[in-house]
Amino acid sequence: MAETSAETVRNTVVEAALGKLDLDAKTRLLAGQDMWSLPALPEIGLQSLVMSDGPIGVRGVRWTADDPSVALPSPTALAATWDPALARRAGRLLAQEARRKGVHVLLAPTVNLHRTPLGGRHFEAYSEDPYLTGAIGTGYVQGVQDGGVGTTVKHFVANDAETDRFTVDNRIAPRPLRELYLAPFEAIVENARPWGVMTAYNEVNGVTMTEHHELVNEVLRGEWGFDGCNVSDWMAARSTTGDIRGGLDVAMPGPGTVYGPALAAAVRAGEVEESLVDTAVRNVLRLAARVGALEGAPPVVTEHPAALDGDALAREIARRGFVLVRNENGALPLAAGTTVALSGAAARDARVLGGGSAQVFPDHVVSPLDGLTAALPEGALTFTVGADPSEELAPADQGFTLRARCRDAEGRLLGEGSLPNGQVQWIGDDLPEGVTHRDLASIEVVGTFTPRESGEHAFGTRGLGAFTLAVAGTTVFDGVQAMGPETDPFEAFFGSPVERAKVTLTACETVEVSLLHTLDKEFAAPLPAVMFSFVHLGPRRDPDELIAEAVEAARAADTAVVVVATTERVESEGFDRKDLALPGRQDDLVRAVAAANPNTVVVVNAGSPVELPWREDVAAILLSWFPGQEGGAALADVLTGAEEPGGRLPTTWPVALADVPVTEVTPTGGELHYTEGVFIGYRAWDRAGAVPAYPFGHGLGYTTWSYDSLVAAPGTVTARITNTGDRPGRETVQIYLAPVDDTVERPARWLAAFAHVEAAPGETVETEIALPRRAFEIWDDEKNDWTLVTGAYEVVAAHSLTDARLTATLEI
């Protein structure tokens, strides 16, 4: 009753505030005033609403290491926990971070589907399955909003690949659109009541999503009852009249958008009804009221949840998301007293998050080498590089201490700030204190470098424009990099680095380095941004020698642990993947080490599926995803057996790309046809009769379970299971439906529900799991509505999609 009363007061305050605004003020409110915020309107007591990326950490309005952010594991890792309650705790932590940084709205979560493993940004989305995606997304949104911070569920809708993402027209029939791509959004709207949604760049069936009246106004708002704020993806809004009629409330970023003065002029010219503007403003004011940014309106949350320890939660999510896909002869956990030979460059220099707009700067990162060094007795661990996933120059990092100095055209120092590495990525107001885009003419990255190794070090640049590079007091390059064939600014920024010079250096001897970048309007980004990198690559040794060293170490140890990884050139925002192969000589390293030591454990540090051609030749395989800042500590927990790996696959892992049923990400004539219909992910694998390396839902633990009984009734399933192992454990009970004699074209089986149980050794537990009606429904194109499909269904309680334990028949 209290909430209803507060909602009534909020709505009253919103209407009063709206009534005080003239047309110019209203349209100004709908346009970003800068990269991350909306304008304040003091006349109605409205603060500036501040938004920020992203899914795994809160960046804040300045992308800087001077204000570090907790970096949680990637969304694929969170989905691999199969735990909406844990996702809710993650959301609460991010709300805590957002409040600390003065952020009202988090630009997350990403609930697009893994339609094909080639999607370059899939590490930022949850799963190939709409039900699992909706459940994890619901927990995440609930958690963020528990903390009084808004969310923008994105990218509405069908932004499932990166190729031509600004312009692609995704052609999707009504049934797969409803049953797959809209389904996670619908579930989150119904169960979490999000305060925001972000509309995507792409078109769906010929209409740009920011202008999609049918999907936004009729479906999202009309059918589902969404009453939040609809914000565009950055630079996605292209039409003043089309966007406002299509239900877009806010066009970002500012200050130049299709709203603001352009929208006011359209109203005065009779092209747009002012009532549409009022509707959009009302949605923005309602959001402001909910987060406590509108004077007189009680915020939804007046008492924030108890503070969470970011390091501890990051570590917990990481280990709970690790998926043990193979464990022969009890290779894991490691026995006490085991000696370990660790190899792989990614073990030393871990990749803990994906590339693109979701990137944040944690104040520390625990690598696998760090984590195992701390956990194992002295002398038990050796490390060799073995193989590096990248032979390319990368942003200067280990051994570098860098700052950025900003000057105007006359050379006057405007300001400076520290850099976490050689990557300068200032978008909007990310600039150091005192610096503006108007006055900024050059940036000089200056600092020192203390090499880890003696030999020839390569230095270079990535980005567009003029560069002057100096190492140890000598200018080694002075020139200009022109634009290549890239069409996406992220692709240009994260594209190929260019080597400019090689310099012979001595280990542990510090030298000065600098890179001067002079800005040129010819290379200006389509939004206020400075994006370039000072890149470096250490001395290259013979790859065969590196592998031989790892083999020698592995032969001398009880267990060999090899960490393999992707790079930002493989998985990042802005482009899709060309293949699923691990880069560099990493496959060769694994094969060689496994041949020398049959007790070889491989840790796969990747955000989405990769080919594992040696998977039958190693003792154990652990998928660590992008595990966040505490990933190395969590890895040590799991390898030593202090904790159990809790993850189950949220996405099918193929043997090879050639086996994958759905792979097309490249439009033809601007259109990408989703010809597979409702058959993506495991649904497509089943239909094709193909066998993947590891099926959806797969994951091993450190104990065993017997499934004792299953009772299915309309609306609920009850399962009894027993921990038959010798240690406490946690099991994810997965419920699949399979129609007995199907009367419509449907997948052979699909995930309908799931639940977690915990039990001590020998303990039997019972869990009752809700079975939603929607699991038995299809979208009927003729009726334009959901239809219950009656008949007999097998209800399967399973450890994974292909590991059914118990079956009951249910008549609907």
Side-chain angles (χ1 to χ4, degrees):
M1 199 67 183
E3 174 53 36
T4 302
S5 174
E7 186 72 21
T8 299
V9 174
R10 276 193 293 275
N11 289 334
T12 301
V13 173
V14 164
E15 292 303 322
L18 175 61
K20 295 176 184 176
L21 298 176
D22 62 19
L23 177 62
D24 293 313
K26 287 187 287 191
T27 56
R28 191 167 70 250
L29 179 59
L30 304 183
Q33 67 175 350
D34 52 30
M35 185 57 58
W36 305 114
S37 69
L38 299 182
L41 298 178
E43 63 268 31
I44 58 169
L46 177 67
Q47 301 173 32
S48 173
L49 275 174
V50 178
M51 310 176 217
S52 176
D53 285 314
I56 60 111
V58 183
R59 197 169 72 67
V61 296
R62 293 185 186 276
W63 207 324
T64 170
D66 293 336
D67 182 18
S69 309
V70 173
L72 297 179
S74 63
T76 44
L78 184 61
T81 70
W82 285 57
D83 191 344
L86 185 58
R88 188 165 190 165
R89 288 169 56 208
R92 287 182 170 183
L93 174 69
L94 295 175
Q96 178 178 307
E97 284 278 279
R99 295 194 307 271
R100 180 175 67 81
K101 289 175 175 265
V103 169
H104 300 105
V105 180
L106 195 60
L107 302 173
T110 301
V111 299
N112 301 113
L113 297 184
H114 297 177
R115 175 177 168 264
T116 157
L118 292 178
R121 203 177 179 182
H122 279 352
F123 59 86
E124 197 180 315
Y126 293 130
S127 170
E128 68 188 23
D129 182 77
Y131 181 78
L132 177 59
T133 296
I136 299 297
T138 291
Y140 182 101
V141 169
Q142 288 173 331
V144 175
Q145 294 182 178
D146 284 347
V149 174
T151 55
T152 57
V153 188
K154 65 184 188 183
H155 307 85
F156 189 75
V157 62
N159 183 185
D160 308 304
E162 294 293 280
T163 302
D164 295 343
R165 63 176 177 159
F166 294 110
T167 57
V168 62
D169 180 8
N170 292 321
R171 293 283 174 161
I172 313 171
R175 189 177 162 203
L177 183 60
R178 290 282 189 158
E179 293 185 17
L180 297 180
Y181 304 101
L182 287 171
F185 291 93
E186 181 181 11
I188 293 168
V189 169
E190 178 181 354
N191 298 312
R193 311 307 301 174
W195 301 343
V197 160
M198 181 187 292
T199 38
Y201 293 119
N202 55 279
E203 297 181 7
V204 170
N205 298 331
V207 182
T208 299
M209 277 311 307
T210 55
E211 304 172 32
H212 216 302
H213 175 86
E214 177 190 357
L215 292 181
V216 172
N217 288 330
E218 295 179 13
V219 176
L220 175 65
R221 293 196 185 280
E223 289 182 29
W224 302 348
F226 173 69
D227 66 353
C229 181
N230 174 15
V231 59
S232 73
D233 203 341
W234 267 227
M235 301 182 297
R238 304 177 182 100
S239 166
T240 299
T241 56
D243 287 330
I244 197 70
R245 288 175 180 159
L248 181 71
D249 298 323
V250 174
M252 291 296 290
T257 82
V258 297
Y259 284 176
L263 181 55
V267 172
R268 291 187 174 109
E271 299 168 359
V272 170
E273 301 87 349
E274 189 168 354
S275 61
L276 294 178
V277 175
D278 288 347
T279 296
V281 171
R282 186 177 289 112
N283 292 331
V284 175
L285 292 176
R286 186 183 297 117
L287 172 61
R290 285 170 167 165
V291 300
L294 181 62
E295 189 177 310
V300 171
V301 177
T302 55
E303 188 172 333
H304 298 127
L308 290 165
D309 182 322
D311 293 352
L313 185 57
R315 187 169 179 167
E316 180 183 354
I317 294 171
R319 64 174 171 77
R320 290 276 307 282
F322 288 167
V323 183
L324 184 62
V325 294
R326 179 177 174 85
N327 192 22
E328 296 299 295
N329 303 316
L332 291 178
L334 301 174
T338 298
T339 58
V340 175
L342 179 66
S343 62
R348 180 183 63 188
D349 303 320
R351 187 175 184 203
V352 300
L353 44 79
S357 60
Q359 187 175 31
V360 296
F361 299 124
D363 64 5
H364 68 275
V365 168
V366 182
S367 70
L369 178 56
D370 296 332
L372 286 170
T373 299
L376 296 176
E378 189 172 348
L381 180 71
T382 62
F383 171 71
T384 55
V385 171
D388 197 316
S390 175
E391 294 294 311
E392 285 191 334
L393 290 83
D397 192 0
Q398 298 294 332
F400 288 86
T401 301
L402 303 172
R403 293 187 65 77
R405 292 177 181 161
C406 301
R407 292 185 170 85
D408 63 15
E410 282 70 47
R412 288 188 294 264
L413 185 67
L414 299 172
E416 58 181 289
S418 61
L419 295 172
N421 54 41
Q423 182 170 295
V424 177
Q425 189 169 335
W426 296 333
I427 302 176
D429 293 334
D430 289 343
L431 302 172
E433 198 69 38
V435 181
T436 65
H437 285 283
R438 183 191 63 192
D439 296 331
L440 181 62
S442 69
I443 305 99
E444 186 178 21
V445 176
V446 297
T448 61
F449 174 46
T450 306
R452 291 191 290 205
E453 302 163 281
S454 297
E456 269 197 333
H457 289 255
F459 295 87
T461 63
R462 184 170 61 180
L464 306 173
F467 295 98
T468 302
L469 174 63
V471 179
T474 301
T475 297
V476 294
F477 174 76
D478 190 355
V480 176
Q481 178 65 39
M483 183 74 174
E486 303 92 348
T487 57
D488 187 323
F490 274 103
E491 185 176 0
F493 175 58
F494 290 111
S496 298
V498 181
E499 182 181 311
R500 303 301 187 184
K502 281 190 168 75
V503 181
T504 300
L505 301 174
T506 304
C508 301
E509 290 188 8
T510 301
V511 295
E512 292 187 349
V513 294
S514 70
L515 176 65
L516 174 64
H517 176 47
T518 304
L519 300 181
D520 187 330
K521 286 186 172 57
E522 179 186 349
F523 302 111
L527 47 78
V530 178
M531 301 167 71
F532 70 96
S533 293
F534 170 35
V535 294
H536 164 261
L537 184 65
R540 296 293 88 187
R541 292 181 52 206
D542 183 290
D544 291 328
E545 285 184 14
L546 292 175
I547 291 174
E549 286 181 2
V551 166
E552 185 179 347
R555 194 174 282 122
D558 298 325
T559 298
V561 176
V562 185
V563 181
V564 297
T566 59
T567 69
E568 67 173 25
R569 294 298 309 281
V570 174
E571 293 182 89
S572 178
E573 179 175 354
F575 53 87
D576 288 312
R577 300 164 71 184
K578 302 293 186 277
D579 57 48
L580 301 181
L582 285 167
R585 295 283 303 278
Q586 296 181 103
D587 287 334
D588 293 339
L589 170 65
V590 174
R591 289 189 183 99
V593 168
N597 188 330
N599 208 29
T600 292
V601 176
V602 182
V603 178
V604 183
N605 181 195
S608 44
V610 293
E611 293 172 356
L612 310 174
W614 31 259
R615 68 193 182 285
E616 301 294 339
D617 303 326
V618 301
I621 301 172
L622 184 70
L623 310 181
S624 70
W625 314 105
F626 296 145
Q629 67 183 45
E630 300 294 325
L635 179 64
D637 289 341
V638 166
L639 294 184
T640 61
E643 300 286 354
E644 185 179 39
R648 304 292 183 263
L649 284 180
T651 289
T652 305
W653 276 53
V655 173
L657 177 60
D659 302 329
V660 177
V662 181
T663 58
E664 191 57 69
V665 294
T666 303
T668 301
E671 297 180 355
L672 182 62
H673 290 258
Y674 285 34
T675 55
E676 69 280 353
V678 297
F679 297 93
I680 67 168
Y682 63 84
R683 295 164 166 83
W685 285 89
D686 274 351
R687 189 189 201 195
V691 179
Y694 304 109
F696 178 81
H698 175 62
L700 307 173
Y702 288 159
T703 188
T704 55
W705 299 87
S706 69
Y707 280 56
D708 307 325
S709 67
L710 176 69
V711 177
T716 186
V717 172
T718 303
R720 286 174 61 87
I721 71 172
T722 301
N723 180 350
T724 54
D726 58 5
R727 60 175 286 162
R730 183 183 182 95
E731 173 72 334
T732 302
V733 180
Q734 302 168 32
I735 304 297
Y736 295 90
L737 292 182
V740 175
D741 293 307
D742 211 354
T743 56
V744 295
E745 185 183 36
R746 283 187 291 182
R749 52 194 165 175
W750 56 90
L751 181 69
F754 61 89
H756 290 283
V757 298
E758 294 184 41
E763 183 182 3
T764 298
V765 291
E766 185 173 282
T767 180
E768 187 174 303
I769 309 169
L771 198 57
R773 175 186 169 93
R774 178 59 59 83
F776 300 92
E777 295 179 328
I778 66 164
W779 181 260
D780 189 319
D781 292 352
E782 290 185 8
K783 294 180 179 178
N784 197 38
D785 200 357
W786 293 97
T787 295
L788 183 71
V789 182
T790 57
Y793 290 83
E794 283 190 346
V795 180
V796 182
H799 177 76
S800 76
L801 179 77
T802 60
D803 186 1
R805 300 296 179 87
L806 291 173
T807 301
T809 301
L810 180 62
E811 193 76 30
I812 295 295

